[in-house]
Amino acid sequence: MDENIQKLKELIAESDNIVFFGGAGVSTESGIPDFRSVDGLYNQEWKYPPETILSHTFFERHPDEYYRFHRAKLVVENVQPNTAHKRLASLEAEGKLKAVITQNIDGLHQAAGSKNVLELHGSILRAYCSRCGKPYPAERMNHGTGIPKCDCGGVIRPDIVLYEEPLDNEIMSKAISYIRHADVLIIGGTSLNVYPAAGLINYYRGHKLVLINLSATPFDSYADLIIHQKIGEVFSQV
Ligand code: OAD
């Protein structure tokens, strides 16, 4: 076994206060493309850049175009949790992992059995009316055609955080608290480019910061242990 993976295995074995913070790279081995890799969402051809389409202003002005993108790119059929999701769920069940904090909107941590999941950017598995707030099942939004509308006439929207929108304060406060009090913080599958989520790393007080990411991140020098390998393959060994 790789020396760094062996070290991670030891850190996990010795701790009962592990917190995981992840991003799109956690789900690529389930078949969902990430945002910023060469074959990621932001490098695919589309009429507008995905950051524009996934913004509040764009959603308000062009809900039809937003939904074309949403159904074609954000909704991925028949995806299953991979080894990373499953191992994180089993670490929670063993009482070793306190929380999964994710930037992902795919619900795969919960599908794997994780209970305490803080979704910083929401979930495409929930929907609500942008006018009256009434909650709706995500089915029609994700799989229907045209712009889904509420009984009140408002546009139904996904319960995700679009660009220009603030993160949920309560979720952010909980995430900060878990990270501040964590013994081991494992960060994986995120380019750590998008704020305020990426800034969470600054709340960690310990000396067991593990970074698992295929490519380099702006925070590599902060890590006590760095593993540039596929996260599912890493978690299958620890
Ligand atoms: P990114 O696409 O920016 O970063 C994903 C990172 O995961 C990249 O650095 C990849 O190298 C790495 N990666 C890919 N597959 C991996 C694997 N199998 N194992 C390990 N690492 C792997 O995605 P995020 O950092 O999650 O926000 O992006 C943050 C936010 O940007 C998203 O939540 C989304 C996006 O705009 C909103 O939609 C609000």
Side-chain angles (χ1 to χ4, degrees):
M1 185 190 291
D2 177 295
E3 194 186 320
N4 284 342
I5 297 180
Q6 179 61 38
K7 274 189 204 153
L8 173 60
K9 196 174 175 172
E10 286 163 18
L11 286 176
I12 289 174
E14 288 160 6
S15 182
D16 61 0
N17 183 7
I18 303 165
V19 170
F20 180 80
F21 170 42
V26 176
S27 293
T28 54
E29 286 162 83
S30 293
I32 302 178
D34 64 12
F35 292 88
R36 292 177 184 79
S37 294
V38 275
D39 52 353
L41 212 47
Y42 289 168
N43 292 304
Q44 299 175 9
E45 288 299 314
W46 206 258
K47 201 167 152 197
Y48 304 89
E51 278 116 327
T52 304
I53 302 177
L54 292 172
S55 71
H56 180 84
T57 307
F58 191 90
F59 181 83
E60 297 270 293
R61 289 191 188 151
H62 311 284
D64 48 346
E65 186 68 4
Y66 171 85
Y67 270 114
R68 214 164 65 77
F69 180 86
H70 178 102
R71 289 170 182 140
K73 290 294 166 196
L74 296 188
V75 181
V76 184
E77 301 291 346
N78 300 322
V79 284
Q80 302 296 331
N82 63 51
T83 323
H85 300 106
K86 289 179 193 164
R87 184 63 183 127
L88 287 164
S90 71
L91 285 171
E92 183 186 20
E94 290 165 28
K96 299 180 78 63
L97 182 124
K98 297 294 177 218
V100 167
I101 301 163
T102 183
Q103 296 163 87
N104 297 347
I105 55 176
D106 55 33
L108 285 181
H109 285 293
Q110 292 91 332
S114 283
K115 303 279 180 258
N116 195 19
V117 183
L118 300 178
E119 295 175 313
L120 296 173
H121 293 161
S123 171
I124 56 160
L125 303 180
R126 296 186 299 267
Y128 66 93
C129 172
S130 58
R131 186 187 290 170
C132 72
K134 181 176 170 186
Y136 277 87
E139 183 57 26
R140 211 188 124 218
M141 171 183 77
N142 289 341
H143 301 289
T145 51
I147 303 167
K149 291 272 181 68
C150 175
D151 303 333
C152 80
V155 175
I156 295 172
R157 60 162 289 171
D159 188 4
I160 63 174
V161 178
L162 296 168
Y163 280 91
E164 305 162 353
E165 293 177 343
L167 270 58
D168 183 292
N169 264 334
E170 199 180 319
I171 294 175
M172 200 61 181
S173 302
K174 278 189 188 166
I176 289 171
S177 176
Y178 277 115
I179 288 180
R180 202 194 285 278
H181 298 111
D183 169 32
V184 176
L185 176 63
I186 305 174
I187 300 183
T190 170
S191 62
L192 292 171
N193 264 312
V194 174
Y195 285 79
L200 282 172
I201 195 169
N202 295 315
Y203 291 95
Y204 179 58
R205 299 268 179 271
H207 301 284
K208 296 170 194 167
L209 174 56
V210 185
L211 242 168
I212 309 167
N213 207 60
L214 272 184
S215 55
T217 79
F219 289 93
D220 280 13
S221 61
Y222 286 45
D224 299 294
L225 178 61
I226 187 138
I227 304 175
H228 286 306
Q229 292 182 47
K230 287 190 173 175
I231 193 162
E233 291 177 8
V234 173
F235 271 107
S236 69
Q237 299 172 66
V238 297

